[in-house]
Amino acid sequence: MRGTARDSLPGRALPNLATVASMKDVRGEIREFLTTRRAKLTPEQAGLPRYGGRRRVTGLRRDEVAQLAGISIEYYTRLERGNIRGASDEVLDGIARALQLNEVERAHLTDLVRLASASPAARYQPARQQVRPSVQRLLDSMTHTAAFLRNGRLDILAANSLGRALYSPVFGSPVSGNPRRPANIARFIFLDERSAQFYRDWDGIARQAVGSLHAEAGRAPHDRALAGLVGELSVRSQQFRELWAGHDVVYYHPQAGDLDLDYDALEIPADPGQTIIAYSAKPGSAARDALDILASWAATQHQDGQPEMTHPADTHAPS
């Protein structure tokens, strides 16, 4: 399955997302992010000459990052210490180029700057997420596409019929959801051993999931449900802990077999944090035939009285 999803943020220590509330906490997150990115990049990778003598750091020095970004060493030092409020897009672009940040890392840095620049009133628990009827109608209109709506915590908030069928192992997993909370993709990936069969590229999907949660942590650091989810996964999954501290996707479906699908992520500007994930296949392809089989299976399940696998959006911390 090929698509537009983002890679994960590289390793760093697990932050206490529920307590990143003050400017001191925000500055600490910024400092940790920039120093770890700088330490990971060598002069050779940055295109800088390495002169004789032993270097005290394995990665780039602050003055080298400042040179590459086109700013003064004093200014970059101030930024790396967390005093990044009001930094311009040009400065952020320069730092992103200097540190060779990928798309997710650049977005994460932008979120941190936005948080640092926000008024105290804006740094508050995110509002409850609702699925607008028009969004559900849009999903249902995509009859030849498996589609669902997820939030930044990777909760599945809504889906069309084919989307519920494609993700039936996730909806039906005893660990990914329950009647009081929506099915969660991250829980399925890290806590259900069947996910390794469902995702043939499990390693890539796992990194992508952690990256999405990292990005959401930067966007909504006071989300208690997100803090609870990260804490739960950290306690119960060593693989999650390692990836958190540190796209071409293929699936195997128990009813339809191997599925190589194209997918797209469609963000909804009117509903920040909500994204439609749509899976499709070229007409006449084997994958399209498999989707048709899956659609027939889904229709049979519905006719046999199987319950619809939908869950209300939950704003409380996971239990």
Side-chain angles (χ1 to χ4, degrees):
M1 189 173 298
R2 296 166 297 279
T4 57
R6 297 168 173 174
D7 292 329
S8 65
L9 286 174
R12 57 191 187 118
L14 176 66
N16 185 349
L17 301 179
T19 61
V20 182
S22 68
M23 276 303 300
K24 181 179 178 181
D25 298 321
V26 175
R27 288 172 179 170
E29 284 288 292
I30 294 169
R31 180 171 60 252
E32 185 177 6
F33 178 72
L34 290 178
T35 54
T36 55
R37 296 309 91 225
R38 176 166 61 85
K40 213 177 143 115
L41 191 62
T42 66
E44 289 81 5
Q45 291 172 323
L48 295 173
R50 183 187 283 271
Y51 299 106
R54 185 175 180 179
R55 292 173 62 91
R56 291 190 294 177
V57 295
T58 56
L60 294 181
R61 300 190 303 262
R62 287 197 186 104
D63 63 302
E64 291 171 329
V65 176
Q67 174 188 342
L68 291 168
I71 57 180
S72 69
I73 176 61
E74 293 79 13
Y75 186 36
Y76 177 75
T77 299
R78 184 162 67 87
L79 296 177
E80 193 176 274
R81 288 175 178 168
N83 299 315
I84 204 167
R85 183 173 184 172
S88 67
D89 290 340
E90 291 76 11
V91 168
L92 296 181
D93 288 340
I95 293 174
R97 288 194 305 272
L99 296 177
Q100 299 182 14
L101 302 184
N102 62 29
E103 180 184 356
V104 171
E105 292 168 331
R106 177 64 170 85
H108 185 64
L109 179 60
T110 300
D111 286 332
L112 290 174
V113 173
R114 185 182 301 114
L115 183 62
S117 302
S119 64
R123 304 186 202 112
Y124 192 70
Q125 177 76 10
R128 180 182 180 89
Q129 290 186 323
Q130 301 287 348
V131 179
R132 289 186 290 118
S134 60
V135 174
Q136 183 64 62
R137 289 196 298 270
L138 175 62
L139 292 172
D140 292 336
S141 70
M142 304 165 73
T143 55
H144 294 289
T145 300
F148 63 84
L149 178 71
R150 68 159 176 80
N151 60 18
R153 296 191 301 267
L154 303 186
D155 295 327
I156 301 180
L157 305 179
N160 63 10
S161 178
L162 193 51
R164 285 190 292 271
L166 178 63
Y167 266 63
S168 59
V170 181
F171 284 114
S173 171
V175 300
S176 66
N178 61 46
R180 295 184 297 107
R181 68 187 184 196
N184 182 271
I185 299 171
R187 284 194 183 92
F188 177 71
I189 291 171
F190 291 102
L191 303 181
D192 194 322
E193 61 184 14
R194 293 175 299 176
S195 66
Q197 183 182 31
F198 184 63
Y199 298 111
R200 280 190 287 159
D201 181 24
W202 187 93
D203 289 338
I205 282 292
R207 288 192 298 271
Q208 178 183 316
V210 171
S212 295
L213 294 179
H214 262 304
E216 182 67 2
R219 192 186 69 84
H222 313 302
D223 188 336
R224 295 178 182 176
L226 177 60
L229 174 63
V230 171
E232 176 189 358
L233 295 177
S234 298
V235 169
R236 300 179 61 185
S237 171
Q238 179 179 350
Q239 291 164 310
F240 178 84
R241 288 196 302 272
E242 292 174 350
L243 287 174
W244 183 267
H247 265 163
D248 199 26
V249 185
V250 288
Y251 290 149
Y252 173 83
H253 194 279
Q255 276 71 41
D258 287 334
L259 291 169
D260 292 88
L261 304 173
D262 298 313
Y263 82 104
D264 293 282
L266 313 173
E267 295 184 0
I268 304 179
D271 300 306
Q274 295 188 7
T275 303
I276 292 177
I277 307 297
Y279 300 90
S280 60
K282 294 180 180 179
S285 65
R288 178 60 178 271
D289 292 340
L291 274 184
D292 291 341
I293 293 173
L294 193 58
S296 298
W297 173 78
T300 302
Q301 295 294 102
H302 182 69
Q303 292 172 359
D304 289 344
Q306 297 291 329
E308 292 288 334
M309 297 177 182
T310 57
H311 302 263
D314 180 27
T315 60
H316 303 291
S319 59

